[in-house]
């Protein structure tokens, strides 16, 4: 009888643990020192972990920084009306190319995270306790492995604490933090920290949205340590895309940069082009002295 009972107990499947509910203690505040856009503690004013109400994040209208779909399309389009081989417009053409280079750098480094956010917006979201939700999807992570990405969201009254955990069948990842952060309810403020092996690898903060906002990313560790990418857009039409590529001391960072003023004039810097010095164009898009 004892043997039979033991066999019966052994056949009962172990109950899977409930999905994790992200909380304030899971957020990184030390990474706040690398980007000056937000004070993370102040950004959480009014937020409480046991808040009632709320609903999952609406990914269809989510902030482009949160979705990592930020880019410099407006700057790249500024040379559309000119002849790209006309030397009178070489500076504005260079500016469009510089902006594209910034986008491609970001995509090459965080493309897997961007693709994951695009995939997770279509998942079924299930209740996970009180005012928390979870969902998952198989994706390819930034190290090239197939993982199950689990998106957990927790409404805290003013917005959501969110996280994406990764798990693999091989055991290489076991609910390991991939990225997390805070997303305010109106989408106009937030941050994301991207992790590698439990350490913040890249941190991003934003304020506002495309058309009138600023986004900045900083590489905390790894081969790209101390690199910085920044975008901003103003309501009256000023634009910037910038990548500061950190160099070994005592060298200054190498800049790839394009800025457009309200009247359409602007400047660009591209490493190796024009001896890495700025080139400028006027409101008519023709070359001018800087």
């Amino acid at each position: 009888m004892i043997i039979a009972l033991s066999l019966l107990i052994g056949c009962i499947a172990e109950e899977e643990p409930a999905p994790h509910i992200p909380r304030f203690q899971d957020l990184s505040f030390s990474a706040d020192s690398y980007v000056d856009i937000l004070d993370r503690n102040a950004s959480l004013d009014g937020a409480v972990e046991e808040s009632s109400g709320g609903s999952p994040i609406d990914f269809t209208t989510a902030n482009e920084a949160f979705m990592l779909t930020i880019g410099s399309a407006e700057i790249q389009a500024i040379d559309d009306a000119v002849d790209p081989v006309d030397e009178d417009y070489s500076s504005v053409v260079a500016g469009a190319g510089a902006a594209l280079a910034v986008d491609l750098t970001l995509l090459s480094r965080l493309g897997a995270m961007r693709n994951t956010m695009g995939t997770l917006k279509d998942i079924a979201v299930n209740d996970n306790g009180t005012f928390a939700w979870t969902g998952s999807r198989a994706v390819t992570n930034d190290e090239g492995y197939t993982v199950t990405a689990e998106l957990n969201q927790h409404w805290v009254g003013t917005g959501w604490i969110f996280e994406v955990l990764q798990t693999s069948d091989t055991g290489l990842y076991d609910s390991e933090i991939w990225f997390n952060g805070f997303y305010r309810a109106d989408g106009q403020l937030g941050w994301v920290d991207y992790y590698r092996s439990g350490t913040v690898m890249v941190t991003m903060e934003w304020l506002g949205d495309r058309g009138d906002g600023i986004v900045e990313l900083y590489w905390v560790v790894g081969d790209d340590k101390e690199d910085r990418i920044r975008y901003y857009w103003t309501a009256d039409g000023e634009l910037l895309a910038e990548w500061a590529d950190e160099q070994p001391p005592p060298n200054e960072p190498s800049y790839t940069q394009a800025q457009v003023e309200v009247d359409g004039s602007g400047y660009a810097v591209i490493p190796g082009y024009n001896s890495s010095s700025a080139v400028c164009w006027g409101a008519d898009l023709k070359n001018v002295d800087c």
Side-chain angles (χ1 to χ4, degrees), residues 46-246:
V48 290
E49 285 195 338
E50 304 307 324
S51 177
S52 60
S55 58
I57 298 170
D58 182 358
F59 277 64
T60 63
T61 60
N63 187 290
E64 291 192 18
F66 173 69
M67 299 299 295
L68 261 183
T69 54
I70 48 176
S72 62
E74 299 90 341
I75 299 177
Q76 294 175 48
I78 195 170
D79 69 342
D80 286 352
V82 307
D83 181 351
V85 299
D86 187 334
E87 281 300 314
D88 287 342
Y89 299 100
S90 60
S91 293
V92 74
V93 172
L100 175 61
V102 177
D103 289 1
L104 292 176
T105 299
L106 180 59
L107 185 62
S108 69
R109 296 180 180 186
L110 298 184
M113 291 75 150
R114 175 177 177 170
N115 292 341
T116 295
M117 292 301 291
T119 297
L120 290 175
K121 70 180 183 181
D122 297 323
I123 63 174
V125 177
N126 303 307
D127 285 334
N128 175 26
T130 305
F131 312 115
W133 302 270
T134 188
S136 62
R137 179 71 57 87
V139 301
T140 300
N141 72 4
D142 58 309
E143 296 183 277
Y145 295 101
T146 298
V147 299
T148 297
E150 179 183 288
L151 170 66
N152 296 319
Q153 310 172 45
H154 181 195
W155 173 253
V156 291
T158 61
W160 299 265
I161 302 173
F162 66 91
E163 65 184 7
V164 174
L165 308 180
Q166 52 182 338
T167 300
S168 62
D169 293 338
T170 63
L172 183 60
Y173 308 95
D174 184 9
S175 294
E176 180 178 312
I177 182 67
W178 187 8
F179 47 98
N180 71 355
F182 174 71
Y183 184 79
R184 199 171 71 181
D186 62 3
Q188 296 295 297
L189 173 158
W191 72 81
V192 186
D193 293 321
Y194 302 92
Y195 288 76
R196 176 69 60 81
S197 302
T199 300
V200 175
M201 178 178 67
V202 187
T203 185
M204 175 178 71
E205 295 180 357
W206 77 85
L207 186 63
D209 204 343
R210 193 178 197 125
D212 190 9
I214 182 169
V215 183
E216 189 167 325
L217 301 100
Y218 180 86
W219 275 256
V220 180
V221 297
D223 295 340
D224 303 313
K225 182 178 179 181
E226 298 184 5
D227 280 11
R228 194 179 298 271
I229 288 179
R230 188 162 63 111
Y231 295 92
Y232 71 68
W233 311 262
T234 67
D236 56 4
E238 189 176 352
L239 308 166
L240 172 74
E242 177 183 81
W243 165 34
D245 183 11
E246 190 67 20

Side-chain angles (χ1 to χ4, degrees), residues 7-72:
L7 290 172
L8 179 61
I9 293 174
C11 292
I12 298 175
E14 290 187 14
E15 185 175 340
E16 290 191 13
H20 182 249
I21 297 177
R23 299 185 179 278
F24 296 136
Q25 66 185 21
D26 298 309
L27 298 173
S28 170
F29 292 90
S30 62
D32 196 17
S33 61
Y34 298 112
V35 180
D36 292 332
I37 294 177
L38 302 177
D39 178 327
R40 295 188 180 186
N41 282 293
S43 299
L44 292 172
D45 283 351
V48 290
E49 285 195 338
E50 304 307 324
S51 177
S52 60
S55 58
I57 298 170
D58 182 358
F59 277 64
T60 63
T61 60
N63 187 290
E64 291 192 18
F66 173 69
M67 299 299 295
L68 261 183
T69 54
I70 48 176
S72 62

Side-chain angles (χ1 to χ4, degrees), residues 90-91 93-99 101 254-258 268-279:
S90 60
S91 293
V93 172
S254 175
Y255 283 93
T256 301
Q257 186 178 46
V269 177
I270 303 173
Y273 181 78
N274 193 41
S275 301
S276 301
S277 298
V279 295

